[in-house]
Amino acid sequence: MIPFNKHTITQLEKDLVMQSLDNDKICGDGIFTKKVNELINQKFGIKNFLLTTSCSSALDLSAIILDLKSGDEVIMPSFTFVSTANAVVLRGAKPIFCDIKKENLNIDETKIEALITPRTKAIYVVHYAGQICEMDKIMKIAKKYNLYIVEDAAQAIGSKYNGKYAGTIGDIGCYSFHDTKNYTSGEGGAIIINNEFFLSRAEIIREKGTNRSQFLRGEVDKYTWQDVGSSFLPSDLLSALLYAQLNRFDEIFEKRCSIWSKYYKNLLDLDKQGKIVLQPNTLYTSNKNTFSNAHIFYFLCKSEDERNALIQYLKQKGVQSTSHFEPLHCSPMYRRLRGSLPPPKLTNTENCAKQIIRLPMFYDLKDDEIEYIIKLIKEFYNK
Ligand SMILES: Cc1ncc(COP(=O)(O)O)c(C=O)c1O
């Protein structure tokens, strides 16, 4: 079976994890966490980068930092992972779901303003498949209505928009280093604090509500309870694993781009014949300052039945492909949250969720496997 996803672990990852075990301390914010921060700073120019145990916890942290509470509304796409909405709901605030665009499955920035009310506090955008949302327009809306922007960049590390990395444009950005992501520590994430106003509070909330980080830097002689908080920091073992992965950043990035472009080039004729709709080609080239990171390769089928039949066909032939998010506004949880209110009608979200198929995408995917997958898809459509 060709799996949908598989992590890439080399001797470097194994060596660095073993090295971290020999260090005096293996708790959070140790030697390897500092190394990750330095690397992220050197490579991406990102300063206020705090590792967390997952992107879900980074999103939870963001909602605490923004002081979201009952009565607040937060606009976000419904086509996203549950964690984007959970973060807001856990604070007692209400997610307001906005439709997506068919072209790239990102939030439709032209539909945001109609959802803004005096209760709106923030917009959580999601860069689906590493394709960045129309951030210039979204930042303008945020400025006009005095709203915070959080970028759920779980899937978008390494992607750029007008020269800026995903996660560095809004007030706060969140990354994921889950097993399914381009760079992984098994479970892991990070929060990027771009709005300096939130920095000292973020550091405290991440450290159980204490000023322990200040204490460790020698700025205070003891640390105390300062604010609400929880334990959001990962063990240094995980940071060692992540450090190895990030040291292989370019190698992994290039390999994924090459797989992505093989799929794209070979499936373009099916798109031209109107049989499928490919995602836009926003892949990296050296002359672009807006590009995506080859996180996912997906296309849209004509219907849900056709998509399911294709997934089944590939499965019979030994290839694991998959759909993606079930729209949150149609979920059992949201049914409970909205009570007797009617659900919003989000046509693109509902249709695209039924039509999307994602193909295997991982570092070790071989050329002959890619060719085999392409051959099967062509066979399916030319039957
Ligand atoms: C858009 C989005 N947000 C948040 C998450 C949660 O990430 P994590 O598994 O690191 O908590 C994911 C995970 O797939 C995601 O795709």
Side-chain angles (χ1 to χ4, degrees):
M1 191 81 178
I2 302 175
F4 172 68
N5 180 57
K6 205 161 97 185
H7 55 239
T8 156
I9 299 294
T10 62
Q11 198 54 45
L12 181 67
E13 281 82 355
K14 293 177 189 172
D15 288 347
L16 294 191
V17 170
M18 289 311 282
Q19 241 185 64
S20 77
L21 284 168
D22 285 335
N23 289 336
D24 288 344
K25 288 187 180 155
I26 55 172
C27 59
D29 284 347
I31 292 172
F32 278 101
T33 304
K34 289 198 181 78
K35 282 181 187 284
V36 168
N37 285 358
E38 279 160 20
L39 188 152
I40 289 280
N41 189 346
Q42 276 162 16
K43 189 152 183 73
F44 305 113
I46 300 177
K47 272 192 304 166
N48 303 324
F49 179 91
L50 303 170
L51 283 179
T52 58
T53 48
S54 63
C55 183
S56 302
S57 62
L59 289 161
D60 290 348
L61 186 50
S62 75
I64 304 175
I65 294 168
L66 297 186
D67 234 349
L68 295 181
K69 54 187 174 311
S70 173
D72 292 339
E73 293 179 353
V74 176
I75 296 170
M76 64 177 68
S78 163
F79 190 71
T80 181
F81 194 60
V82 291
S83 302
T84 327
N86 268 331
V88 163
V89 173
L90 278 167
R91 311 315 312 157
K94 201 163 139 192
I96 302 293
F97 294 120
C98 183
D99 209 357
I100 51 170
K101 298 189 288 190
K102 281 190 281 190
E103 305 91 84
N104 60 9
L105 314 192
N106 276 339
I107 193 164
D108 186 340
E109 68 284 351
T110 65
K111 294 186 177 155
I112 292 177
E113 262 186 288
L115 300 173
I116 295 174
T117 73
R119 291 179 295 282
T120 310
K121 187 116 181 232
I123 305 170
Y124 276 51
V125 298
V126 176
H127 304 310
Y128 184 70
Q131 312 165 107
I132 308 211
C133 300
E134 274 307 330
M135 290 310 289
D136 281 351
K137 291 179 186 151
I138 294 170
M139 294 307 288
K140 251 193 203 148
I141 296 172
K143 199 161 174 216
K144 181 169 166 194
Y145 294 93
N146 202 18
L147 306 175
Y148 295 122
I149 297 289
V150 176
E151 296 176 69
D152 179 340
Q155 306 179 4
I157 185 170
S159 298
K160 255 188 177 176
Y161 175 87
N162 285 345
K164 286 187 177 167
Y165 280 107
T168 67
I169 307 163
D171 296 280
I172 293 175
C174 301
Y175 286 163
S176 173
F177 300 115
H178 183 261
D179 206 28
T180 50
K181 300 302 183 290
N182 294 13
Y183 311 92
T184 184
S185 52
E187 300 281 352
I191 189 164
I192 304 164
I193 309 293
N194 303 310
N195 183 338
E196 301 255 340
F197 175 76
F198 295 124
L199 188 58
S200 62
R201 195 151 179 254
E203 206 178 69
I204 286 170
I205 297 166
R206 176 175 170 270
E207 262 284 18
K208 299 103 179 162
T210 73
N211 54 346
R212 188 163 181 264
S213 304
Q214 277 184 306
F215 170 72
L216 292 177
R217 288 195 296 267
E219 292 165 14
V220 290
D221 59 2
K222 62 178 187 305
Y223 66 91
T224 53
W225 190 17
Q226 304 273 329
D227 201 332
V228 293
S230 192
S231 185
F232 288 103
L233 53 169
S235 148
D236 218 44
L237 292 185
L238 294 180
S239 301
L241 175 50
L242 182 63
Y243 183 62
Q245 291 265 296
L246 294 175
N247 265 287
R248 296 175 56 214
F249 189 92
D250 292 341
E251 172 203 338
I252 294 175
F253 189 87
E254 279 157 27
K255 186 68 195 292
R256 293 186 77 100
C257 286
S258 126
I259 296 169
W260 198 100
S261 72
K262 275 190 193 113
Y263 276 139
Y264 188 85
K265 276 187 198 138
N266 286 287
L267 293 173
L268 199 53
D269 53 346
L270 286 180
D271 176 285
K272 287 196 174 138
Q273 292 160 28
K275 292 182 173 164
I276 62 172
V277 179
L278 286 177
Q279 69 193 94
N281 184 358
T282 53
L283 206 60
Y284 170 79
T285 53
S286 55
N287 57 350
K288 281 191 197 166
N289 65 0
T290 294
F291 54 82
S292 57
N293 62 354
H295 175 55
I296 289 174
F297 188 89
Y298 74 85
F299 59 84
L300 299 180
C301 302
K302 278 261 159 65
S303 68
E304 185 175 21
D305 285 348
E306 186 183 285
R307 189 270 313 269
N308 292 347
L310 177 55
I311 290 178
Q312 248 347 85
Y313 183 72
L314 293 172
K315 189 175 167 196
Q316 280 162 15
K317 305 279 181 181
V319 175
Q320 191 188 21
S321 61
T322 179
S323 58
H324 210 177
F325 305 130
E326 289 299 314
L328 297 182
H329 73 286
C330 305
S331 66
M333 176 65 187
Y334 188 65
R335 226 170 287 142
R336 288 210 298 281
L337 282 177
R338 72 179 162 81
S340 56
L341 289 174
K345 185 80 196 126
L346 306 176
T347 311
N348 288 342
T349 303
E350 287 159 35
N351 291 341
C352 295
K354 289 176 186 155
Q355 293 166 262
I356 188 171
I357 179 168
R358 291 179 297 155
L359 300 182
M361 167 59 84
F362 53 90
Y363 179 87
D364 284 316
L365 194 61
K366 308 274 178 301
D367 276 352
D368 58 346
E369 292 174 322
I370 304 169
E371 280 156 25
Y372 176 61
I373 297 166
I374 291 163
K375 180 177 100 58
L376 292 176
I377 296 170
K378 292 197 164 173
E379 239 168 59
F380 177 87
Y381 278 103
N382 294 325
K383 256 195 310 209

